[in-house]
Tab-separated table of all heavy atoms in Angstrom:
chain	number	residue	atom	x	y	z
D	95	LEU	N	-18.549	32.564	41.483
D	95	LEU	CA	-19.809	32.378	40.756
D	95	LEU	C	-20.977	32.083	41.689
D	95	LEU	O	-22.119	31.972	41.229
D	95	LEU	CB	-19.669	31.245	39.734
D	95	LEU	CG	-18.633	31.467	38.623
D	95	LEU	CD1	-18.547	30.240	37.727
D	95	LEU	CD2	-18.968	32.708	37.810
D	147	LEU	N	1.646	27.227	39.654
D	147	LEU	CA	0.690	28.254	39.221
D	147	LEU	C	-0.290	28.607	40.347
D	147	LEU	O	-0.552	29.786	40.609
D	147	LEU	CB	-0.080	27.767	37.992
D	147	LEU	CG	0.715	27.665	36.681
D	147	LEU	CD1	-0.120	26.987	35.607
D	147	LEU	CD2	1.168	29.041	36.222
D	196	LEU	N	-18.470	-1.106	38.772
D	196	LEU	CA	-19.548	-1.768	38.032
D	196	LEU	C	-19.549	-1.359	36.564
D	196	LEU	O	-19.736	-2.188	35.675
D	196	LEU	CB	-20.901	-1.434	38.673
D	196	LEU	CG	-21.191	-2.102	40.023
D	196	LEU	CD1	-22.480	-1.568	40.618
D	196	LEU	CD2	-21.264	-3.622	39.875
D	216	LEU	N	-7.989	-3.987	16.490
D	216	LEU	CA	-9.191	-4.777	16.257
D	216	LEU	C	-10.443	-3.976	16.579
D	216	LEU	O	-11.428	-3.996	15.825
D	216	LEU	CB	-9.146	-6.054	17.109
D	216	LEU	CG	-10.343	-7.001	16.986
D	216	LEU	CD1	-10.473	-7.510	15.563
D	216	LEU	CD2	-10.212	-8.165	17.963
D	248	PRO	N	-13.964	20.912	52.426
D	248	PRO	CA	-14.447	21.390	53.729
D	248	PRO	C	-13.691	20.807	54.920
D	248	PRO	O	-13.854	21.278	56.046
D	248	PRO	CB	-15.918	20.925	53.747
D	248	PRO	CG	-16.259	20.607	52.341
D	248	PRO	CD	-14.988	20.121	51.741
D	256	MET	N	-1.769	20.356	48.963
D	256	MET	CA	-2.578	19.291	49.536
D	256	MET	C	-2.464	17.984	48.742
D	256	MET	O	-2.546	16.894	49.320
D	256	MET	CB	-4.044	19.724	49.664
D	256	MET	CG	-4.726	20.071	48.373
D	256	MET	SD	-6.382	20.817	48.608
D	256	MET	CE	-7.290	19.479	49.368
D	264	VAL	N	-0.790	7.472	48.164
D	264	VAL	CA	-1.746	6.867	47.235
D	264	VAL	C	-1.028	5.940	46.255
D	264	VAL	O	-1.537	4.854	45.923
D	264	VAL	CB	-2.535	7.961	46.489
D	264	VAL	CG1	-3.423	7.355	45.404
D	264	VAL	CG2	-3.389	8.754	47.473
D	268	VAL	N	-1.735	1.920	45.618
D	268	VAL	CA	-1.935	1.292	44.306
D	268	VAL	C	-0.968	0.138	44.103
D	268	VAL	O	-1.345	-0.929	43.597
D	268	VAL	CB	-1.780	2.341	43.183
D	268	VAL	CG1	-1.826	1.674	41.815
D	268	VAL	CG2	-2.874	3.390	43.280
D	278	GLY	N	-8.647	-4.009	43.523
D	278	GLY	CA	-7.580	-3.920	44.520
D	278	GLY	C	-7.409	-2.517	45.060
D	278	GLY	O	-7.131	-2.328	46.249
D	283	GLY	N	-7.273	0.580	49.541
D	283	GLY	CA	-7.362	1.950	50.041
D	283	GLY	C	-8.108	2.020	51.360
D	283	GLY	O	-7.634	2.617	52.333
Side-chain angles (χ1 to χ4, degrees):
L95 298 177
L147 290 172
L196 288 174
L216 180 61
M256 61 189 296
V264 174
V268 173

